[in-house]
Amino acid sequence: IDLAIKHKDHWVIIDYKSSTKFSHKHKEQINFYAKAVSEIEQMKVYPFVVYLLADEIEIRKEAPLKI
């Protein structure tokens, strides 16, 4: 997790990547993090993968997890 933001009733977690080459693995990884935060904090979690590419920034939002 590169960035975690706690709100009153949920968390937002962000993982930054420099390539989309292994995006399926990135999705698995951020969902693993989201599940762990959700279980520990007992709150809804909104996970994002942010790709910092050479000529653009791509943001992918995964499905929110709630306990």
Side-chain angles (χ1 to χ4, degrees), residues 9-67:
D9 62 347
H10 68 279
W11 281 84
V12 173
I13 60 169
I14 299 171
D15 202 21
Y16 296 106
K17 302 293 183 190
S18 59
S19 169
T20 58
K21 186 175 181 179
F22 299 105
S23 61
H24 64 286
K25 291 290 185 186
H26 301 153
K27 182 177 179 176
E28 290 176 12
Q29 183 181 37
I30 196 70
N31 285 329
F32 176 80
Y33 294 157
K35 185 174 189 281
V37 171
S38 179
E39 289 176 2
I40 292 167
E41 293 291 323
Q42 297 291 301
M43 295 174 79
K44 184 179 250 185
V45 177
Y46 295 91
F48 293 83
V49 178
V50 176
Y51 292 98
L52 305 174
L53 306 173
D55 56 352
E56 68 179 328
I57 296 173
E58 182 179 326
I59 300 171
R60 296 187 186 176
K61 180 180 179 187
E62 301 302 329
L65 295 178
K66 55 184 166 180
I67 210 69

